[in-house]
Amino acid sequence: MRIALNFYFIFEISIVIFAVITYVFWDKRYRKNHGSDIPEGFEKTEEISIDPSDGRRLRVYYNKITGERFYFEEKSN
């Protein structure tokens, strides 16, 4: 019985650790390309995405040389 309880607690702690790691590192490509200043070399596109949870408008900027995308939060009117 004691071995089963130890396994259960280790399993639960593992799930919590996995959840925290996933939350911290999940989909960094969006977060790293989002900011308040548009980097040099990026061109404005007509692509806009609206976050359904809070209504934020994100304009996509594109760098033709590197192929990177940058997401800039536009203020809603």
Side-chain angles (χ1 to χ4, degrees), residues 5 15 18 34 38 62-63 72 74:
L5 284 176
I15 288 176
F18 178 74
H34 176 72
I38 301 165
Y62 181 71
N63 188 325
F72 178 74
E74 290 187 337

Side-chain angles (χ1 to χ4, degrees), residues 42-67:
F42 282 79
E43 298 176 8
K44 184 177 183 178
T45 68
E46 295 302 315
E47 185 179 348
I48 297 175
S49 61
I50 299 175
D51 189 342
S53 64
D54 58 11
R56 291 186 307 155
R57 294 170 47 100
L58 297 174
R59 167 79 62 177
V60 177
Y61 286 78
Y62 181 71
N63 188 325
K64 288 183 181 179
I65 297 170
T66 63

Side-chain angles (χ1 to χ4, degrees), residues 1-49:
M1 179 76 169
R2 187 173 189 174
I3 293 174
L5 284 176
N6 286 340
F7 176 75
Y8 175 76
F9 287 120
I10 290 172
F11 183 72
E12 291 296 318
I13 290 171
S14 300
I15 288 176
V16 170
I17 291 171
F18 178 74
V20 169
I21 290 172
T22 303
Y23 177 76
V24 170
F25 294 107
W26 188 260
D27 205 6
K28 276 195 166 191
R29 62 195 159 137
Y30 168 75
R31 283 189 225 125
K32 79 171 184 169
N33 290 330
H34 176 72
S36 58
D37 297 325
I38 301 165
E40 193 172 319
F42 282 79
E43 298 176 8
K44 184 177 183 178
T45 68
E46 295 302 315
E47 185 179 348
I48 297 175
S49 61

